[in-house]
Amino acid sequence: MLIARRADTRARADFATWKMMAKLNGSSALPPEAQEFLASYKNLLARMSEGEATEATIGAIYKAYYAEMGGAGTPPDVRTRPAEPAADNVTAFRRPAPKPKTVSFFGTGAAAGTQKRPLPVMLIFACLVVVYVGIRLYWR
């Protein structure tokens, strides 16, 4: 049953990928067996609805993958839910909303107790000058 689930998952994912590549005119870059499955899918579309053609093609891919992965005999039925088109569940990418900045000058803000206050640039520069002058006076 583990081989059957893996083969079914791989068949559905591969078919969705191949179908999307065909929509984007990239089917020539697909392997020959993928092109054969897409050609049989197009032939099935002429005879039946899109959902039925999709499930029939995925079933053929599943059988091929099941045998390739070492499954013996007839592949078991692994679908536990009603048939859904595999390639129509693609959603558009949306960027997440930018996080609001809660930190104001010197780190004071909503979370003032949890953040360190940054040292001002002039204080760092003054410390470097003191160290430099101290080293110069020490070596004389």
Side-chain angles (χ1 to χ4, degrees):
M1 197 61 175
L2 183 63
I3 293 174
R5 282 192 207 123
R6 285 183 185 168
D8 184 63
T9 303
R10 183 176 165 202
R12 290 183 184 281
D14 284 353
F15 180 71
T17 304
W18 298 341
K19 190 174 174 183
M20 188 58 64
M21 286 188 69
K23 284 182 181 179
L24 297 173
N25 295 327
S27 60
S28 62
L30 293 173
E33 59 270 359
Q35 292 176 2
E36 291 174 17
F37 283 121
L38 284 175
S40 68
Y41 171 71
K42 288 178 184 176
N43 291 336
L44 289 173
L45 273 177
R47 291 183 275 149
M48 54 182 77
S49 70
E50 183 180 359
E52 292 171 341
T54 298
E55 282 304 313
T57 306
I58 289 174
I61 297 169
Y62 164 63
K63 288 177 184 176
Y65 283 171
Y66 183 76
E68 179 184 309
M69 291 180 176
T74 306
D77 188 21
V78 293
R79 288 180 284 147
T80 58
R81 58 193 151 117
E84 299 174 6
D88 295 334
N89 61 356
V90 178
T91 58
F93 176 75
R94 285 181 281 162
R95 292 190 181 273
K99 294 181 182 178
K101 293 186 178 182
T102 59
V103 178
S104 62
F105 190 69
F106 287 117
T108 58
T114 60
Q115 294 181 352
K116 287 185 172 183
R117 290 178 33 174
L119 289 177
V121 176
M122 286 303 294
L123 180 61
I124 294 171
F125 181 72
C127 289
L128 288 174
V129 168
V130 168
V131 169
Y132 176 75
V133 170
I135 290 174
R136 295 285 289 185
L137 291 176
Y138 178 74
W139 288 106
R140 281 191 182 188

